[in-house]
Amino acid sequence: KRLKLPRTVDEEQIHLVPPLNIRSTVGSKGIPWEYVMVGERYGTYTKMLLDLKHSDRVLDIGCGCGRITRTLWNYIKPPGEYVGYDCHMLLLGWCKANFVTKTNFSFDLFDIHNVTYNPRGKVQLKDFELPYPDGYFNKAFSISIFTHIIPPYDDYPEKIARVIAKGGLFMPSFFFQENEPDFPQEETQNRKNFKDTGKGYWTLNFDQHESGICVKKSDTIALFKKAGFKLLDNRWGGWSGKRDHLENQDFLILEKQ
C-alpha cells in the first residue's frame, strides 16, 4: 500500500527539522520536505511493524538528529516514554536542544567508538553497557546501526536484550547478503557494490569497513537468537532487488523471550 507522505513541513514542527549541515550527516542533503518524507516513511513502518502504542516505552538505538523522533513526538504520550541515544555529539546535541517541551522524551549521549561516526570515542562497544534497568523498554528499534558495526557485534544484541521486557519487540535494520535461499532475484538499480572481506561479512569500503556492512541473514538471526530473541518476521529492503519493499534496508522483527 502506497503511503501518503507530506510535500511540505508542518509549521508546528518546522523547528524539529535540523539545518542542512546536520541533516546531511544522516544522508539527507535535499530540501526539508525530503528529510521529513524519509522520516515519515521510517516512522510509519516503525509504528506498523512494532505495533507501537501511545503508552509504549520506546528505545531508539542510534537516534541521530531525530528523523524518526519527529514522527513520534505527538504519538508517544505519558505514561509512554521515548529514549533516544547516539554517539554523535553534534546530532544528539541538536536533539537535546530542540526536543525539549515534553518530559517523556529524553536523549543520552554515549562516547562509543565508531570509525564512521565517532572515531575519537573512548569507549569500545565491547566495554559499553546500556545504563537502563532490566526489561525497562517494551519496544526498541535501530535504523542503520548494525550496518556500521562489524559482526558479531561485541555482545551488543545481548546488551540490548537485557533492557527489553519479555515479550517486547525489537526492529533492527541490516544489509543482508545475496546468497540466501529467499533473497529477491528481481533486477534493480539499487544493488550496492559490497565486497567480500573473507571474514564473514561484506563491506562497501576496504579502507573503512564500518562505512557500510552487509551480513548473512542466517548468521545474524542465529546471533540474536543466542541473545534471547525470537524471529517473528523479516522484510527485504529495496537495495536487494525486492520491488515490493518497505525501505532501502532489510528489517528483522524480533521478540524478546
Side-chain angles (χ1 to χ4, degrees):
K1 184 178 179 180
R2 189 175 297 276
L3 299 174
K4 184 178 180 181
L5 299 171
R7 299 288 295 185
T8 59
V9 182
D10 189 327
E11 288 297 323
E12 182 185 354
Q13 294 191 357
I14 189 65
H15 67 288
L16 300 181
V17 177
L20 180 59
N21 69 306
I22 291 179
R23 65 178 187 268
S24 63
T25 305
V26 297
S28 181
K29 299 179 181 180
I31 58 178
W33 75 258
E34 185 269 344
Y35 172 88
V36 170
M37 180 182 69
V38 174
E40 288 288 339
R41 287 205 309 264
Y42 274 116
T44 298
Y45 303 145
T46 299
K47 294 171 188 175
M48 178 179 68
L49 296 176
L50 290 180
D51 189 25
L52 207 61
K53 304 291 193 294
H54 299 295
S55 58
D56 282 335
R57 282 182 172 172
V58 180
L59 180 64
D60 184 351
I61 299 166
C63 62
C65 55
R67 184 162 55 182
I68 299 177
T69 315
R70 192 193 63 81
T71 71
L72 302 179
W73 184 240
N74 290 324
Y75 188 84
I76 302 296
K77 305 177 186 299
E81 183 179 352
Y82 168 97
V83 176
Y85 74 82
D86 208 284
C87 66
H88 196 294
M89 183 180 296
L90 178 63
L91 304 186
L92 201 284
W94 192 89
C95 286
K96 282 190 169 185
N98 289 275
F99 291 94
V100 295
T101 60
K102 297 184 180 182
T103 58
N104 63 324
F105 277 68
S106 61
F107 299 89
D108 294 316
L109 176 66
F110 301 129
D111 195 23
I112 306 168
H113 178 269
N114 182 272
V115 173
T116 303
Y117 290 105
N118 191 25
R120 296 183 180 180
K122 294 183 174 63
V123 181
Q124 297 296 321
L125 186 61
K126 64 182 178 63
D127 300 319
F128 173 68
E129 294 292 340
L130 289 164
Y132 309 118
D134 293 359
Y136 187 77
F137 302 97
N138 65 323
K139 303 289 173 64
F141 60 92
S142 61
I143 306 299
S144 198
I145 302 303
F146 288 96
T147 55
H148 299 288
I149 304 174
I150 293 174
Y153 310 123
D154 291 321
D155 295 327
Y156 206 21
E158 285 84 354
K159 295 170 183 179
I160 293 169
R162 181 187 63 79
V163 302
I164 299 178
K166 184 177 180 179
L169 300 181
F170 176 40
M171 185 183 76
S173 73
F174 303 89
F175 292 121
F176 285 137
Q177 208 273 334
E178 297 184 3
N179 295 328
E180 298 280 350
D182 59 339
F183 186 87
Q185 298 300 318
E186 295 101 330
E187 292 299 322
T188 181
Q189 297 299 315
N190 284 342
R191 293 281 174 94
K192 295 182 182 295
N193 187 26
F194 284 108
K195 307 170 185 66
D196 191 350
T197 65
K199 299 178 180 180
Y201 66 91
W202 293 253
T203 182
L204 290 173
N205 185 351
F206 275 125
D207 294 326
Q208 188 174 314
H209 287 195
E210 292 90 340
S211 64
I213 290 176
C214 178
V215 294
K216 287 189 68 175
K217 187 180 74 169
S218 54
D219 290 348
T220 304
I221 291 172
L223 282 173
F224 279 88
K225 182 178 181 180
K226 179 183 176 183
F229 288 103
K230 173 185 176 182
L231 176 68
L232 297 183
D233 196 6
N234 76 273
R235 301 294 180 94
W236 289 106
W239 84 273
S240 61
K242 184 73 170 174
R243 293 192 183 98
D244 182 21
H245 63 274
L246 286 181
E247 193 45 71
N248 185 41
Q249 296 184 13
D250 307 312
F251 291 93
L252 295 181
I253 296 87
L254 306 165
E255 180 182 33
K256 171 69 181 297
Q257 299 299 286

